[in-house]
Amino acid sequence: MNELRIFFTGAGSPGFNGILKGFRVGAKEEGRKIKVITADMNPDAYGFHLADKGYVIPPGNVDNFLEKMLEICDKEKPRLLVSGVDPELLPLAKAKPDFRRYGVEVVLSDWKAIELAQDKGKLYDFFKPYGFVPEYKRVKNVKEFKEAANSLGYPEKPVCFKPVFSYGMRGFRIMRPDADKVDLLFKYKPSSAFINFSEALEILKQAEAQGRFPDLLVMEYLEGKEYTVDLLARKGKSLVTIPRERVVTKEGISTVAKLEKNKEIIEYAETITEKLGFDYCINMQFRYSSDGYPKLIEVQPRFAGTTIACIGAGANLPYLALKLALGEKIPEVKVKWGTVMKRFWDEVFVLGEKQWFYGIKFEV
């Protein structure tokens, strides 16, 4: 096989290392040579030390982002372009024809599907008739925020909120009437999502006075088990669907995950994939309500940060996505259900032009 060049952005993202492992392991198993070019807006991104070559690029939401990406493609001649950075997804998907002129296939869904997935308000409205989403209200000011919280049962019930356009845990908070400021200061880490109503109101009033009040979704708080579903799809049809329980999370990222063949969630996720017409790798998050039904929290039209859990259980979705983009046959995937992933930190050391890793390699 000829060398396959992959341009994979998001060198500083938590999931970069795991997905890169998937690319390299899959290529090795097939006897294929690959070269991975990466990019990130942060010059200190750890992924620069793992890829074959790296570039510092502007954020995905600025005017010269696409110009810089096309410039790199013209120079490096990648065959495939993969992004793991949310603000990059929509502009890259819209620019697919421009990248094809350079011989580059953008491994993302159609831009219309991405646009709907990233607008959580429209996403919830779309799937409300199916009963897939939690109870919610979309609000644009403090008055509507107070009314929405009360209508959803606050203070008798906890209520949560998040911006319509947000990534990761940014802007997400859980309002509990028993959220005591002293406890939050001394018993929880600064990254805690809990907040009391009066404090939330004070911040939102300030945002409104400054003309910075974002569109918010105020929602029922779901207290049941939480799942991420990783999917590989082609034209809205799921080829592989893998739910995993988010057993332990830190700042929105799974540190312990267990693959579970949950047929109910598989059915929900495959229906959503079909309705939105997704391609390649996507992920969804569900959480069970108090009455025992899974509710869609969000859809991310990209690799998940913990896709490595699937790779370790025999489903190398990142590499299969590359094969799908190249028009190659997708082999049967045999998932080792029940596999548990436990994540830990690792390091890279840099001194001038030298770099090295330190530690013990564990062989299984």
Side-chain angles (χ1 to χ4, degrees):
M1 294 182 179
N2 293 329
E3 181 184 70
L4 175 62
R5 291 186 165 222
I6 307 159
F7 187 8
F8 177 30
T9 68
S13 64
F16 180 86
N17 183 33
I19 295 163
L20 183 62
K21 286 178 184 177
F23 291 161
R24 295 204 186 280
V25 169
K28 183 178 180 181
E29 289 175 346
E30 291 195 334
R32 169 181 262 152
K33 292 182 179 181
I34 65 168
K35 180 176 181 179
V36 179
I37 302 103
T38 192
D40 200 277
M41 58 185 283
N42 178 7
D44 288 323
Y46 75 92
F48 288 132
H49 304 285
L50 305 180
D52 298 297
K53 197 166 184 179
Y55 291 86
V56 177
I57 57 172
N61 54 3
V62 300
D63 291 339
N64 65 333
F65 167 71
L66 286 175
E67 179 184 349
K68 181 64 177 177
M69 293 292 289
L70 289 166
E71 179 185 311
I72 295 170
C73 287
D74 186 36
K75 181 178 180 180
E76 296 293 341
K77 305 293 190 294
R79 177 68 184 88
L80 302 174
L81 170 55
V82 182
S83 175
V85 182
D86 290 306
E88 296 178 0
L89 304 183
L90 190 57
L92 288 176
K94 285 185 174 182
K96 281 185 179 184
D98 298 318
F99 285 96
R100 286 186 182 128
R101 284 194 282 272
Y102 287 84
V104 180
E105 186 64 28
V106 178
V107 188
L108 289 172
S109 295
D110 181 78
W111 70 267
K112 292 180 181 178
I114 292 174
E115 186 174 58
L116 180 57
Q118 291 191 329
D119 184 330
K120 294 179 179 64
K122 289 183 178 178
L123 180 72
Y124 278 31
D125 289 344
F126 188 91
F127 286 108
K128 185 176 181 179
Y130 297 87
F132 288 175
V133 297
E135 289 188 56
Y136 70 98
K137 304 286 183 182
R138 187 168 182 166
V139 304
K140 297 185 178 182
N141 54 54
V142 170
K143 180 176 180 292
E144 292 178 355
F145 177 82
K146 290 162 63 175
E147 291 172 350
N150 290 333
S151 71
L152 290 169
Y154 191 87
E156 287 75 21
K157 299 178 182 178
V159 171
C160 57
F161 65 90
K162 62 183 174 183
V164 169
F165 295 98
S166 63
Y167 309 117
M169 291 284 288
R170 296 170 182 85
F172 174 75
R173 293 294 184 271
I174 302 165
M175 291 192 298
R176 302 185 68 105
D178 58 350
D180 179 82
K181 287 185 178 181
V182 176
D183 281 347
L184 291 176
L185 177 61
F186 293 112
K187 294 184 179 180
Y188 292 87
K189 291 186 177 182
S191 56
S192 170
F194 293 110
I195 193 170
N196 61 44
F197 183 74
S198 60
E199 189 176 8
L201 211 58
E202 180 183 344
I203 295 169
L204 293 175
K205 284 179 178 178
Q206 183 178 349
E208 187 174 59
Q210 297 173 354
R212 298 166 58 195
F213 193 106
D215 282 11
L216 292 175
L217 287 180
V218 184
M219 305 167 294
E220 65 170 313
Y221 175 57
L222 305 171
E223 300 193 54
K225 286 185 177 181
E226 187 175 2
Y227 290 81
T228 292
V229 186
D230 295 280
L231 300 101
L232 176 70
R234 176 165 49 198
K235 296 180 180 178
K237 177 178 174 56
S238 177
L239 305 178
V240 186
T241 308
I242 305 176
R244 50 184 163 84
E245 183 187 350
R246 291 160 60 88
V247 180
V248 180
T249 62
K250 291 184 179 179
E251 298 183 17
I253 299 171
S254 296
T255 55
V256 180
K258 181 179 181 180
L259 275 65
E260 178 184 316
K261 195 173 184 178
N262 185 316
K263 293 182 179 179
E264 184 177 40
I265 288 182
I266 289 173
E267 182 180 344
Y268 276 43
E270 291 184 347
T271 299
I272 292 167
T273 299
E274 180 184 2
K275 296 300 180 185
L276 296 185
F278 281 125
D279 282 299
Y280 305 117
C281 281
I282 55 174
N283 75 91
M284 305 174 191
Q285 289 186 6
F286 293 86
R287 193 159 192 168
Y288 275 86
S289 62
S290 58
D291 53 358
Y293 292 97
K295 299 293 183 179
L296 178 68
I297 299 174
E298 63 182 16
V299 177
Q300 298 171 325
R302 55 166 174 78
F303 296 114
T306 314
T307 300
I308 185 65
C310 299
I311 299 171
N316 192 341
L317 300 187
Y319 189 71
L320 293 179
L322 302 184
K323 290 177 68 67
L324 190 61
L326 294 169
E328 297 177 1
K329 184 179 179 181
I330 304 301
E332 180 184 359
V333 174
K334 295 181 180 180
V335 181
K336 299 172 186 174
W337 296 107
T339 299
V340 176
M341 178 217 71
K342 297 183 180 181
R343 175 174 269 159
F344 58 92
W345 283 44
D346 203 351
E347 302 81 26
V348 58
F349 299 89
V350 182
L351 180 62
E353 297 296 320
K354 296 180 180 180
Q355 64 180 48
W356 66 95
F357 298 87
Y358 184 81
I360 300 171
K361 290 186 178 180
F362 296 91
E363 301 293 340
V364 178

